[in-house]
Amino acid sequence: MAKESTCVSKLQIERGKFKPVLPDILKKDASFIKPVKRKVTNYTVGQDNLREIFKNTYGLPEITFKKGVNKNIAKKSIKVAVVLSGGQAPGGHNVIAGLFDGLKKTNEKNILLGYLGGPSGILENRYKLISEKMLCNYRNTGGFDFIQSGRTKIETPEQLCLIRDNLTASKVDALVIVGGDDSNTNAAMIAEYMKKENLNKCIVGVPKTIDGDLKNKYIETSFGFDTATKIYSELVGNICRDVNSSQKYWHFVRLMGRSASHITLEVGFKTQPNVVLIGEEILANKMTLAEVVENIVSVIVKRAQSGKNFGVILVPEGLIEFIYEMKKLISNLNDVLVENSEIVAKFHSVEEKKEFIYTKLSKEDSDLMKSLPVGIASQFMLDRDPHGNVRLSLIETEKLLVEMIQKRLLELKRVNKYKGKFLAITHFFGYEGRCGIPSNFDANYTYALGYNAAMLVLNGFTGYLSSVRNLVKPPKYWECGGIPLTMMMNIEKRHGKDKPVIRKALVDLNGKPFKKFVKNRNKWAISENYVFPGPLQYFGPPELTDMITKTLQFEHSK
Ligand code: FBP
């Protein structure tokens, strides 16, 4: 429990007393938690290339923990290492706490160490031994600051050798990688390498990301999504109330989420603003930027006709990559930047870089890039992250939209088709929510994911993602087990090359949440159906403290 000190808040002290609820199956002694294997039959369809890359870890069975005698649990003490990878997400510290408690409950001599600063910590062999004394101040807290995080991509043979050597030198038996799709791709690569090298080292992943895009039939949600969306919803709800009070501004709020619009959809449900853009729909309809702008303009014009020159618009962070011509431009630009990386690096200014790049792009692409506001075109040139992704958090799409909307409204004004007043304010909410104090859901979920990861490694499983399901039910009923990482992979283009990566789950346009949204959005557009969710609650009635996301509710509704 967090101790009182000048840098610990009262809430943190109270929150430190929260005892995560373990699923019933994990409450048992490890020797009574039996892993049941299920062969996955449709595993190999159309995935021959993956089978080739993951010769040793492809085709593993799915694991579910059930009540029963387990004679295979590690008899000797083991040493496990944990690493936090990628962007922060509320609950990371509780994964470590669950892992620690699961290991210690099974054998007091089991050891947990934490690699520092993300995957680079493994490469540089920087770690700390984790003790209860150190951990107690971090239980139920937000952030990743206990051992920090990083985005180093692990893929080269040299890196894999180094990891092998470092794990071996430190006598680490198992490595738990807490990360999103890219980081768990790392986990799959390391698991395969260890198997290939005949090393008895277990590599297990834990699904983390506020973006909510690491999910599938077996992984119902990634941790952090619940807390982050509650925090953003409070902020957006407050803006809706402000808008409704002053009735003079249009607020454009871009929300994090990278390539997926799950966060935007969830915050949309919780606050019911006037426009919610869903990138996946824009892509499916092959909409151009001009068409996206036109759709927003039609709502602005309609509301202005009833004297409403105000409103709130949610923009997903990844919007730009969903607009057909932009997606093509970004993909071609990525290839050109990789092919010409040495030359580009020699230019001193972004302007020089852009001028050079224009000569390498097709006329269509370079004309499009030149037509963008200068600032946005320059943001397109920023370095990609180590996984080859455009740093979407740095591209101010909301400002691009405002600029284009202003132009269009002026045109309409000139021909007397718009008589309103358009005053726009832009926001970007992302970093505000990633390190929030985890909600009850995330505190429980992360603790269970960590504890479950301990059970997986104690049983010697490797190449798995820790899976805790049945999340619409109270934690007591959650089901636990492991899903083979390779089962979630496909081949995608990264840095201009085909690479095996974990499949991102985008908003499913045939899914229940999206359909529910479509039913409501016209009503939200013209009237003020705003909902003001207020702050995330840690104490009080369970209806408030244990509320799950609308996305989970709708996805699992009958
Ligand atoms: P992960 O996918 O690693 O969980 O990161 C999510 C995220 O918060 C995105 O929503 C955002 O685009 C990105 O990280 C920002 O990255 P950075 O922390 O490097 O600025």
Side-chain angles (χ1 to χ4, degrees), residues 15 18 226 230 439-442 444 536-548:
R15 197 58 188 159
F18 178 78
D226 183 84
K230 279 174 178 154
S439 61
N440 277 4
F441 174 86
D442 272 328
N444 288 328
L536 163 52
Q537 300 294 314
Y538 301 101
F539 305 98
E543 301 89 273
L544 293 182
T545 55
D546 297 348
M547 206 186 327
I548 59 166

Side-chain angles (χ1 to χ4, degrees), residues 1 30 35 39-40 55 65-66 82-83 87 138 145 204 219-220 279 311 318 355 359 393 458 464 479 488 518 547 556:
M1 191 197 310
K39 199 167 160 33
V40 186
K55 287 197 178 76
F65 288 123
K66 300 267 186 205
V82 62
V83 65
Y138 290 92
D145 43 332
V204 163
I219 305 297
E220 294 175 4
E355 285 311 319
T359 65
S393 65
L458 285 166
Y464 281 86
E479 292 161 9
M488 305 169 201
V518 170
M547 206 186 327
H556 296 273

Side-chain angles (χ1 to χ4, degrees), residues 292-340:
V292 173
V293 166
E294 207 53 42
N295 279 358
I296 303 175
V297 163
S298 75
V299 176
I300 296 175
V301 170
K302 213 177 270 164
R303 287 180 64 83
Q305 282 161 357
S306 342
K308 298 174 181 176
N309 289 302
F310 62 91
V312 177
I313 299 186
L314 300 189
V315 181
E317 185 181 61
L319 176 73
I320 206 77
E321 281 198 320
F322 283 112
I323 294 171
Y324 186 65
E325 74 268 27
M326 294 290 173
K327 188 179 170 69
K328 195 162 80 51
L329 166 62
I330 289 174
S331 162
N332 294 338
L333 182 62
N334 283 351
D335 292 351
V336 167
L337 284 171
V338 171
E339 281 156 24
N340 299 280

Side-chain angles (χ1 to χ4, degrees), residues 136-303:
C136 67
N137 287 328
Y138 290 92
R139 287 179 185 264
N140 308 314
T141 58
F144 279 6
D145 43 332
F146 182 38
I147 54 173
Q148 303 94 41
S149 184
R151 288 199 186 276
T152 302
K153 174 142 181 79
I154 288 161
E155 56 177 351
T156 66
E158 296 76 27
Q159 286 174 317
L160 291 167
C161 283
L162 200 53
I163 292 176
R164 176 200 59 198
D165 295 347
N166 288 346
L167 293 184
T168 308
S170 312
K171 297 195 169 58
V172 169
D173 302 292
L175 173 64
V176 175
I177 298 183
V178 182
D181 50 343
D182 287 328
S183 314
N184 277 298
T185 298
N186 286 348
M189 304 294 291
I190 303 171
E192 172 64 22
Y193 181 78
M194 295 299 160
K195 272 268 182 196
K196 193 181 100 206
E197 294 281 296
N198 260 323
L199 286 171
N200 212 4
K201 303 215 178 291
C202 302
I203 316 295
V204 163
V206 172
K208 168 238 67 168
T209 178
I210 59 159
D211 299 352
D213 57 3
L214 177 48
K215 64 173 172 182
N216 48 52
K217 206 168 138 197
Y218 310 97
I219 305 297
E220 294 175 4
T221 189
S222 52
F223 80 77
F225 179 73
D226 183 84
T227 310
T229 51
K230 279 174 178 154
I231 295 173
Y232 302 142
S233 298
E234 181 201 354
L235 300 176
V236 172
N238 291 349
I239 288 177
C240 290
R241 193 135 228 176
D242 190 281
V243 136
N244 214 18
S245 308
S246 67
Q247 310 211 333
K248 61 179 180 188
Y249 297 121
W250 273 94
H251 286 264
F252 286 69
V253 185
R254 179 164 54 105
L255 290 165
M256 247 189 194
R258 211 198 283 275
S259 308
S261 310
H262 299 291
I263 290 184
T264 302
L265 187 58
E266 174 67 21
V267 176
F269 284 129
K270 285 206 173 96
T271 58
Q272 305 189 170
N274 305 98
V275 178
V276 178
L277 300 178
I278 299 298
E280 290 80 346
E281 182 185 28
I282 288 166
L283 180 69
N285 293 338
K286 294 208 163 110
M287 287 172 79
T288 61
L289 186 54
E291 286 167 332
V292 173
V293 166
E294 207 53 42
N295 279 358
I296 303 175
V297 163
S298 75
V299 176
I300 296 175
V301 170
K302 213 177 270 164
R303 287 180 64 83

